[in-house]
Amino acid sequence: MQSTLVRVGSLGRNCDYEGIHFDHESYEQPSPPSTIHPTLFSLEYRITHEGQVPSNRTSIEVYTDDSKINDQTGSAFCVIANEAITKTWKAKLIPANTVFQAEMLALKAAIE
């Protein structure tokens, strides 16, 4: 089965295993590697709204953070509007949670 997974997933080949057909096109393809080195990533490549905020809305910034140290996982975010912190949130997660799950939780909480 491992050999089948490698052939289908990594090599992009169709394969049969114990009467089951695996078509490589049915599986998600990996994203191409970034062409920009992280140290060269310019601020112009960030998601932007062209510097324009509708007149009935206040420009806000949301920052998320997460960490996992010695089986302690945490997640947090803060919102800044008009150069002042307007909302903060933090949560301690169970040790089984990954740092990636913590980040997704912070993003979800910030959106809500």
Side-chain angles (χ1 to χ4, degrees):
M1 184 60 162
Q2 292 297 323
S3 174
T4 301
L5 294 174
V6 169
R7 276 186 244 141
V8 174
S10 299
L11 302 177
R13 296 184 182 154
N14 296 338
C15 192
D16 293 309
Y17 178 76
E18 293 186 356
I20 302 171
H21 179 72
F22 295 90
D23 182 4
H24 79 280
E25 292 181 2
S26 298
Y27 296 90
E28 183 177 340
Q29 301 300 312
S31 299
S34 176
T35 57
I36 301 171
H37 191 276
T39 60
L40 301 175
F41 193 78
S42 177
L43 293 179
E44 292 102 41
Y45 297 114
R46 295 185 305 173
I47 296 173
T48 180
H49 50 72
E50 302 292 326
Q52 306 216 357
V53 178
S55 60
N56 63 342
R57 295 194 180 163
T58 302
S59 177
I60 64 169
E61 298 174 21
V62 179
Y63 296 91
T64 62
D65 190 24
D66 55 275
S67 64
K68 182 165 186 157
I69 301 171
N70 300 331
D71 289 332
Q72 302 258 339
T73 309
S75 183
F77 78 82
C78 77
V79 178
I80 299 175
N82 297 323
E83 299 181 14
I85 295 174
T86 59
K87 173 81 175 164
T88 61
W89 174 88
K90 63 182 177 179
K92 182 176 179 181
L93 286 66
I94 63 171
N97 287 118
T98 67
V99 71
F100 304 108
Q101 290 171 323
E103 181 66 22
M104 290 297 106
L105 179 63
L107 290 169
K108 180 181 180 285
I111 290 168
E112 289 174 343

